[in-house]
């Protein structure tokens, strides 16, 4: 009986914590932000204000349990791709997302009551959504996200070269720039080669087939172009007679 009671108690606690908990958004599940209505916080563990604001955001998630609002959070240190896709430039950043439309929460009132009024009273309608060219669902913004990852790896490489080889800052920049230029040249060469292969394959398909020599049609020759053997022979005889 005691084991059964403990099991039921743990199950009920897990239900409460799951329903009221803030959803952790990652690169694997971020597509769910495009469905329904969301309030998402982008934060970093080292950010002092993010640490202070964490308790308010957890209370906000518990309050949203009885509403249709989903509450999420993104750790930018763990998800640099998402930070790049959503163009996060300051921490914490709060976004309102409804059916794929993204708006930034710009109000200075970041209390629990202010966040509740923002969604309950529909205050998010007063702000315009981010333009289409900044939409995190677009292909180019996903590429920007990968640039954030590249910059993060570049920082790791810089720290490694400075600690292991005592390279100066300018030397590290030259090395990274050289590798970047070399990679760009290789990618450009591959693109040119691929384009040349595709263009040649298309030209072969569109060019008309060559007919064999036997089937080629010869142009008819006019009567004026035919050799006049009899006239030439008579002229030769007259010339010979005069010479004789």
């Amino acid at each position: 009986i005691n084991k059964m009671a403990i099991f039921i108690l743990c199950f009920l606690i897990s239900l409460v914590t799951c329903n009221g908990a803030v959803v952790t958004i990652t690169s694997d599940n971020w597509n769910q932000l495009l469905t329904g209505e969301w309030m998402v916080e982008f934060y970093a563990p080292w950010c002092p204000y993010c640490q202070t604001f964490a308790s308010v955001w957890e209370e906000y998630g518990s309050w949203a349990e009885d509403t249709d609002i989903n509450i999420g959070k993104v750790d930018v240190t763990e998800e640099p791709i998402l930070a790049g896709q959503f163009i996060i430039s300051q921490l914490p950043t709060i976004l309102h997302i409804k059916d794929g439309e993204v708006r930034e929460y710009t109000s200075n009132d970041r209390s629990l009551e202010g966040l509740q009024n923002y969604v309950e009273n529909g205050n998010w309608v007063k702000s315009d959504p981010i333009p289409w060219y900044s939409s995190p669902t677009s292909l180019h913004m996903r590429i920007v996200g990968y640039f954030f990852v590249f910059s993060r790896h570049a920082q790791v490489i810089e720290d490694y070269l400075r600690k292991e080889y005592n390279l100066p800052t300018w030397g590290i920049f030259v090395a990274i720039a050289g590798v970047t230029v070399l990679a760009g040249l290789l990618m450009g060469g591959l693109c040119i080669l691929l384009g040349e292969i595709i263009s040649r394959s298309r030209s072969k398909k569109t060019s008309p087939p060559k007919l064999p020599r036997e089937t080629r049609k010869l142009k008819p020759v006019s009567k004026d172009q035919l050799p006049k053997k009899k006239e030439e022979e008579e002229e030769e005889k007259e010339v010979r007679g005069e010479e004789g």
Side-chain angles (χ1 to χ4, degrees), residues 87-231:
I87 320 179
I88 304 303
S89 58
Q90 61 181 0
L91 297 174
T93 294
I94 301 174
L95 298 180
H96 174 269
I97 307 174
K98 184 175 177 61
D99 298 330
E101 286 190 344
V102 182
R103 293 173 172 84
E104 184 176 358
Y105 180 83
T106 56
S107 175
N108 294 325
D109 185 4
R110 298 200 172 186
S111 63
L112 178 60
E113 184 179 359
L115 294 170
Q116 291 172 347
N117 293 333
Y118 182 76
V119 292
E120 280 188 327
N121 300 334
N123 296 337
W124 53 269
V125 180
K126 299 178 182 179
S127 58
D128 296 328
I130 62 174
W132 64 268
Y133 51 82
S134 300
S135 175
T137 59
S138 59
L139 177 61
H140 59 276
M141 291 311 302
R142 296 191 184 192
I143 295 175
V144 169
Y146 284 100
F147 274 110
F148 271 64
V149 178
F150 173 77
S151 63
R152 184 179 180 184
H153 290 314
Q155 183 65 40
V156 173
I157 295 172
E158 179 185 356
D159 296 337
Y160 174 78
L161 293 176
R162 182 177 286 109
K163 292 179 181 179
E164 295 295 330
Y165 299 97
N166 295 323
L167 291 179
T169 303
W170 65 267
I172 296 173
F173 286 161
V174 169
I176 294 177
V179 173
T180 304
V181 171
L182 181 61
L185 291 175
L186 291 175
M187 292 180 64
L190 289 175
C191 291
I192 293 173
L193 179 61
L194 181 61
E196 185 67 20
I197 293 173
I198 294 174
S199 62
R200 288 186 178 182
S201 62
R202 288 182 177 179
S203 61
K204 289 181 180 179
K205 292 180 180 179
T206 55
S207 58
K210 294 183 178 181
L211 296 174
R213 293 183 178 180
E214 293 77 5
T215 59
R216 291 180 184 176
K217 295 182 179 180
L218 298 176
K219 293 182 179 180
V221 180
S222 62
K223 295 181 180 180
D224 297 335
Q225 296 177 345
L226 293 175
K228 301 180 180 180
K229 293 183 179 181
K230 293 182 179 181
E231 295 179 359

Side-chain angles (χ1 to χ4, degrees), residues 18-26 29-30 32-33 35 37-43 53-54 56-65 67-76 79 82 86 92-97 115 119:
C18 287
N19 290 333
V22 177
V23 180
T24 300
I25 304 300
T26 65
N29 65 353
W30 78 273
Q32 63 180 314
L33 297 177
T35 304
E37 188 172 4
W38 286 81
M39 290 287 285
V40 184
E41 176 202 11
F42 288 80
Y43 73 99
F53 184 66
V56 177
W57 198 252
E58 292 297 330
E59 291 181 13
Y60 192 39
S62 299
W63 167 82
E65 177 184 358
T67 67
D68 295 330
I69 311 299
N70 301 294
I71 309 299
K73 62 180 180 179
V74 180
D75 184 354
V76 297
E79 302 296 335
L82 293 181
F86 287 87
T93 294
I94 301 174
L95 298 180
H96 174 269
I97 307 174
L115 294 170
V119 292

